[in-house]
Amino acid sequence: MTYAGNPENLRDIENNPRYKFIKGDICDEKLVNEIISSEKPDGVINFAAETHVDRSILDSYSFVKTDVLGTQTLLDVSKKYNVSRYLHISTDEIYGSIEKGSFSEESLLNPSNPYSASKASADLIVKSYFITYKTPVLITRSSNNFGPFQYPEKIIPLFITNLLENKKIPLYGDGLNIRDWLYVLDNCQAIDLVFHKGKEGQIYNVGSGNELTNLDLTKLILETMGKDEKSIEYVKDRPGHDRRYSLDYTKIKKELGWQPKYDFKKALIETINWYKENKDWWQKIKSGEYLEYYKKQYLER
Ligand code: DAU
C-alpha cells in the first residue's frame, strides 16, 4: 500500500471468499513468515514494486528497499516453507536500450536508471535462488503495460487525463523514444500461463510487437480524443532516458503457446473510454484527495 496502491481497484472482488487483504510490507520478514506459514499458499507471485522511473531518479531508496530487499525477503520465506511455485514479475527495462533488433532472454542486463537497476538486481537474485537452492522460481519480463486502473503518472493515463482536464501534455525530449505497448489483460494471461505451465528456473519475455515512438503514441491519443498537437508541451528530457525497448518473445509463443490477443488501437480506445467514464477514480488521485483518504485508511489506523 504505497501511494499507488488503491483498494478501489479491487472493489469487484472485495467479497470473494478467495480474496484476503493483509496490509503489510514485503520487507517485514516476521509478517511474511506469519502469512506464508499460516496461509500455506500454492504459490507466490510478486507484483510488489516501486515502478516509476522518474520517481527513482528523484529518490532511489524505496526502489532498492522494496524491489531488491522485498524480493529477497519473499524468496527466503518461500524457500523456508517450500512454496511450490514462485513467480517474479520483472520488466523489459532491465535489458536497457537497443537501437536495432530485440533482446532475448539470454541478452545481458544493462539497466540505465535506479528503477531498472533495482529490478535487474531483483531478477538476478531470483535466478540465483534457482541455481543455488533449486527454489522453483519463474520470471516474466514484460514490456510497457497500459489499460484501465493505471496510476496517472505513466504516459498513457497521464496524457489522457490531462487532455480530459484541458491541460497540456508533457512530452520528454524529442518524443522519439520507442516503447512496445502491451495491453494489461494480455500480460495477465501471460503471467497466469507462466505460473501454471512455465518451466522452473525459466525466464519468459512478454512483448506485443506494438512499437511506437512516444510522438506517434501521443498523436494517436490526441486524434482519438479530438485534440490537436497544440496540446503538446515539449519538456526537458528524462536523465538517462532509454531510447528504445524491444523484446524478442519467441520463447513464450513457442514453448507455452501464448500470444497477445488484443488489438492495440482498439485497446487504446477502450482505455481512453475507461478514463472518460471513471473520472471519479482518477480525479481523486490527481487532486491529492486520494492521498488524504489513503493516509486516513491505512497509515493512521
Ligand atoms: O518497459 C516496462 C516499464 O514501463 C516498466 O517496467 C515500468 O515500471 C513502467 O513505469 C514503464 O516505464 P517507462 O519509463 O517506459 O514508462 P513511462 O510511462 O514513465 O514513460 C513511457 C515513455 O514516455 C518514456 O519514453 C518516457 C515518456 N514520457 C513519460 C511521461 C510520464 C513522456 O514523454 N512524458 C511523460 O510525462
Side-chain angles (χ1 to χ4, degrees):
M1 289 304 295
T2 62
Y3 72 94
N6 184 345
E8 284 187 29
N9 300 356
L10 294 170
R11 279 276 180 264
D12 58 339
I13 59 153
E14 211 173 41
N15 298 319
N16 187 317
R18 299 178 65 210
Y19 167 75
K20 190 166 170 182
F21 172 74
I22 301 165
K23 186 195 156 232
D25 183 339
I26 57 165
C27 297
D28 180 346
E29 194 174 343
K30 188 168 166 278
L31 177 66
V32 177
N33 254 287
E34 276 166 25
I35 297 169
I36 296 198
S37 61
S38 62
E39 297 286 333
K40 298 183 181 54
D42 300 328
V44 169
I45 305 180
N46 181 15
F47 285 93
E50 290 290 341
T51 69
H52 199 52
V53 175
D54 298 317
R55 286 179 190 259
S56 82
I57 294 168
L58 292 174
D59 182 6
S60 59
Y61 176 76
S62 60
F63 288 76
V64 175
K65 186 167 175 275
T66 303
D67 299 0
V68 186
L69 296 177
T71 297
Q72 181 254 332
T73 308
L74 284 184
L75 276 168
D76 270 347
V77 181
S78 301
K79 173 164 85 63
K80 181 170 163 191
Y81 292 101
N82 293 317
V83 165
S84 60
R85 213 85 174 138
Y86 183 101
L87 173 56
H88 178 75
I89 309 300
S90 188
T91 163
D92 65 356
E93 281 212 36
I94 63 175
Y95 296 115
S97 196
I98 188 166
E99 226 170 274
K100 284 197 187 110
S102 303
F103 291 117
S104 80
E105 290 82 354
E106 305 302 320
S107 301
L108 282 182
L109 306 190
N110 189 22
S112 326
N113 57 65
Y115 158 68
S116 52
S118 75
K119 290 295 285 183
S121 310
D123 195 296
L124 290 174
I125 292 169
V126 173
K127 207 173 147 202
S128 80
Y129 271 60
F130 178 72
I131 299 165
T132 309
Y133 310 110
K134 298 283 168 289
T135 306
V137 305
L138 298 134
I139 297 175
T140 59
R141 294 177 179 160
S142 35
S143 61
N144 282 62
N145 277 219
F146 73 102
F149 294 106
Q150 190 171 32
Y151 197 83
E153 64 186 351
K154 312 287 185 203
I155 188 169
I156 291 184
L158 178 74
F159 282 14
I160 297 171
T161 56
N162 273 16
L163 291 171
L164 289 172
E165 293 178 306
N166 292 315
K167 287 186 186 157
K168 294 261 187 192
I169 48 178
L171 196 56
Y172 297 165
D174 60 7
L176 298 181
N177 303 66
I178 295 175
R179 298 292 183 266
D180 176 22
W181 292 99
L182 175 67
Y183 189 56
V184 61
L185 291 181
D186 273 327
N187 194 29
C188 291
Q189 267 168 0
I191 290 167
D192 189 48
L193 189 65
V194 169
F195 182 72
H196 289 101
K197 300 268 161 56
K199 205 168 146 217
E200 281 173 18
Q202 293 296 306
I203 297 166
Y204 298 90
N205 283 347
V206 187
S208 67
N210 294 313
E211 285 185 30
L212 281 179
T213 63
N214 293 335
L215 182 59
D216 284 342
L217 170 73
T218 302
K219 284 181 184 164
L220 209 57
I221 296 174
L222 286 169
E223 192 190 318
T224 312
M225 297 184 69
K227 300 267 183 174
D228 62 36
E229 289 179 40
K230 283 191 217 111
S231 296
I232 301 178
E233 187 178 359
Y234 284 89
V235 297
K236 214 168 134 218
D237 209 355
R238 172 187 277 174
H241 197 176
D242 285 328
R243 197 64 171 165
R244 174 174 174 253
Y245 296 145
S246 183
L247 287 179
D248 174 349
Y249 57 101
T250 312
K251 181 172 171 181
I252 189 168
K253 283 198 271 186
K254 276 207 171 141
E255 292 184 15
L256 302 181
W258 175 87
Q259 54 178 22
K261 291 200 187 92
Y262 289 85
D263 174 78
F264 172 70
K265 279 195 183 164
K266 274 194 203 150
L268 183 67
I269 293 169
E270 274 179 31
T271 302
I272 292 172
N273 289 338
W274 188 88
Y275 283 91
K276 276 186 189 160
E277 284 155 18
N278 289 278
K279 285 197 176 135
D280 257 18
W281 182 87
W282 58 264
Q283 277 172 341
K284 264 192 233 162
I285 295 170
K286 285 187 109 173
S287 68
E289 197 186 306
Y290 175 69
L291 288 179
E292 282 308 308
Y293 161 81
Y294 158 73
K295 267 194 246 158
K296 278 205 180 67
Q297 288 291 309
Y298 296 98
L299 300 182
E300 289 165 14
R301 260 206 313 225

